Amino acid sequence: MANNTAIKVRQPSPILNQCLFFGLLGLVIWLPIPFGSHRAWAWAIMEVLSFSMLSIWLIEQSRIGAPLPVVLGKLKVPLIFLALWLIFQLFQSFPLPVMLVKLLNPAAYEVYAYVYLDQEFSSIPLSIDSGATLGSFLKNSAYCAIFFLTLVLVDRYQRMLLLTTVLVYVGVAEVFYAFWHLCRGTTSGTYINGNHFAGFLEIVISVTVGRFLASRRRNRKRFPSWKIRVVAMLDFVMSKRSLFLCYIIGMLAALFFTGSRGGIAGLFIGISLALVLARIHGGKGVRETRLFPLVIVLLIATTITLTGTGSLGNKLESAGLKSDRSIVNQSTLEIISDYPVFGTGAGTWRWAYPRYKDPRLARQKTRRYAHNDHLELLSEQGIIGTLLLGSAISLILLKIIKAFKLRGDPLTGGVLVAAVSGSSALLVHGLVDFNFRIPANAAYFMVLLAMGSIAACWRNQGLALRQSR
């Protein structure tokens, strides 16, 4: 006899899921406000909120026994690499037998031998400062938690639309605040440093450009008479597209007033890369190919207008492209040569650097960061940590790039463009600065990668998701 008893399937709480999503939006809004969260109390708030929301989601997921979101399956390998990257940082901070550390990381052993002198010690960590490494581990775990939360909570079209809107208007608010407090020819918004504000702007400008592209109508209209052209122009002025264009102009002006050469170069490279990818995968007729020349002309015109009057022009005129960062890079390379495989420990560059400091910079104060995120990562986490994180980011970007040829919904295509442009810009900027050490910028980078991953998984399903939900 067939069993007709209905099996009750537990459903996730829509209210709880909605609260978690709005909690994520609140965190996104909050992160740039307290100096880019570059204060211990500020990044502690980020850690507590992100870990709490992730714990609540995991508990609810375990309670109902629901299948995991599809996007997690698509990103299984990158997520494994990120998990291994976090485990590696914990491994750096754990006490190990002295002889094992002497074998794996001889330079770290020498540091501890010098500190302890003739005292006997049975165990030491691979990191030269386990406390700094644990602190870095918590921050990096928070970034990964934000990446994961974005993946699982932005599960429908309207939420993606709302998240991109929040990012755009956070950028607009920061720009208004920056111009309100414009002083001595530079502006930094709520950030301490103009270069870090530029890193933030690279991301929000990319998202705004993506929204501008997504708002373009599919069908190109013909204008047989001047009256129809005037009406069409007025229609554009009154539309959301004109607002996004105004936002882009204002953000670009703020970017150039920061005087950040790395930020401006990074944005140009990021947008150019997105344009090239759109042209390769979509051909001449895709939306991005038709509209990106307008954006590039706008960037060039803004550059010509502002570089002669703002602090950027003064920087280029007085110092050109020279700086003492190349000297610091040489010292960082020496650290890497001494700690090639396991590094000095996550978050310990500032403690390793004084020993390698060039005599020409003897009068300078001790630096906290290398002004090169990539070399600093390699010096702190060695080949192992760099390969783990680099593999995760590379695989995610590769999935996003491959999705260019299959995107159909305007918002999905705009998000893919924003993800490639913003992430590439920040990675390029990382060659001459330390934006990834600023919690707000690092978290926004992870949010952008997650948004691009979601859009890549949706592909041509974006329109169907919008209609069904």
Side-chain angles (χ1 to χ4, degrees), residues 314-466:
N314 297 333
K315 268 189 177 181
L316 294 175
E317 188 175 328
S318 62
L321 295 176
K322 296 180 181 179
S323 72
D324 57 12
R325 294 177 185 177
S326 60
I327 302 176
V328 178
N329 288 343
Q330 289 297 323
S331 299
T332 306
L333 289 172
E334 292 179 19
I335 299 174
I336 294 170
S337 67
D338 285 346
Y339 301 82
V341 181
F342 292 92
T344 61
T348 62
W349 183 90
R350 63 180 298 189
W351 307 119
Y353 171 69
R355 181 183 173 189
Y356 299 86
K357 188 175 181 180
D358 192 285
R360 288 173 289 179
L361 305 179
R363 294 184 178 180
Q364 284 189 355
K365 295 181 180 179
T366 302
R367 291 172 178 257
R368 297 186 63 185
Y369 304 103
H371 285 273
N372 186 318
D373 280 316
H374 308 291
L375 286 182
E376 186 169 343
L377 173 68
L378 187 56
S379 69
E380 291 183 346
Q381 301 189 32
I383 296 172
I384 296 176
T386 303
L387 283 178
L388 289 173
L389 179 60
S391 298
I393 293 175
S394 298
L395 288 173
I396 292 169
L397 286 175
L398 186 60
K399 286 182 179 294
I400 294 171
I401 291 171
K402 285 183 177 179
F404 264 71
K405 63 181 68 174
L406 295 172
R407 70 202 185 286
D409 181 74
L411 179 62
T412 304
V415 170
L416 292 174
V417 168
V420 170
S421 173
S423 59
S424 301
L426 210 61
L427 288 170
V428 170
H429 195 177
L431 293 171
V432 292
D433 221 310
F434 53 96
N435 272 289
F436 288 99
R437 305 291 168 164
I438 308 303
N441 289 358
Y444 269 46
F445 176 80
M446 298 303 281
V447 169
L448 201 59
L449 287 183
M451 290 167 55
S453 301
I454 296 166
C457 290
W458 282 357
R459 295 181 179 178
N460 289 332
Q461 297 175 6
L463 185 60
L465 284 169
R466 179 179 63 179

Side-chain angles (χ1 to χ4, degrees), residues 224-243:
S225 67
W226 66 268
K227 292 182 179 180
I228 297 178
R229 292 181 181 179
V230 171
V231 172
M233 186 178 298
L234 291 175
D235 181 57
F236 170 76
V237 171
M238 300 299 292
S239 67
K240 289 184 179 180
R241 293 184 62 230
S242 65
L243 280 177

Side-chain angles (χ1 to χ4, degrees), residues 131-269:
T133 300
L134 282 173
S136 183
F137 163 76
L138 289 174
K139 275 196 286 188
N140 292 330
S141 297
Y143 303 146
C144 292
I146 291 170
F147 175 75
F148 187 89
L149 286 168
T150 306
L151 288 177
V152 298
L153 295 175
V154 184
D155 57 354
R156 63 201 71 177
Y157 185 95
Q158 292 301 327
R159 288 189 177 183
M160 180 67 81
L161 188 66
L162 185 55
L163 177 57
T164 55
T165 302
V166 165
L167 288 170
V168 169
Y169 284 104
V170 168
V172 171
E174 282 281 346
V175 167
F176 271 109
Y177 181 84
F179 281 122
W180 186 29
H181 288 82
L182 186 63
C183 180
R184 290 179 294 182
T186 60
T187 183
S188 58
T190 57
Y191 286 71
I192 300 172
N193 187 291
N195 286 312
H196 305 148
F197 184 50
F200 164 82
L201 288 172
E202 291 162 35
I203 294 177
V204 294
I205 288 174
S206 298
V207 175
T208 308
V209 168
R211 282 300 303 271
F212 176 75
L213 294 173
S215 65
R216 189 179 188 276
R217 295 177 180 176
R218 287 179 174 273
N219 299 321
R220 299 181 66 182
K221 293 184 176 180
R222 300 290 180 181
F223 305 110
S225 67
W226 66 268
K227 292 182 179 180
I228 297 178
R229 292 181 181 179
V230 171
V231 172
M233 186 178 298
L234 291 175
D235 181 57
F236 170 76
V237 171
M238 300 299 292
S239 67
K240 289 184 179 180
R241 293 184 62 230
S242 65
L243 280 177
F244 288 131
L245 187 59
C246 291
Y247 297 156
I248 292 170
I249 294 172
M251 291 176 185
L252 286 172
L255 174 63
F256 289 111
F257 273 115
T258 63
S260 174
R261 293 165 287 181
I264 295 167
L267 183 62
F268 269 102
I269 292 172

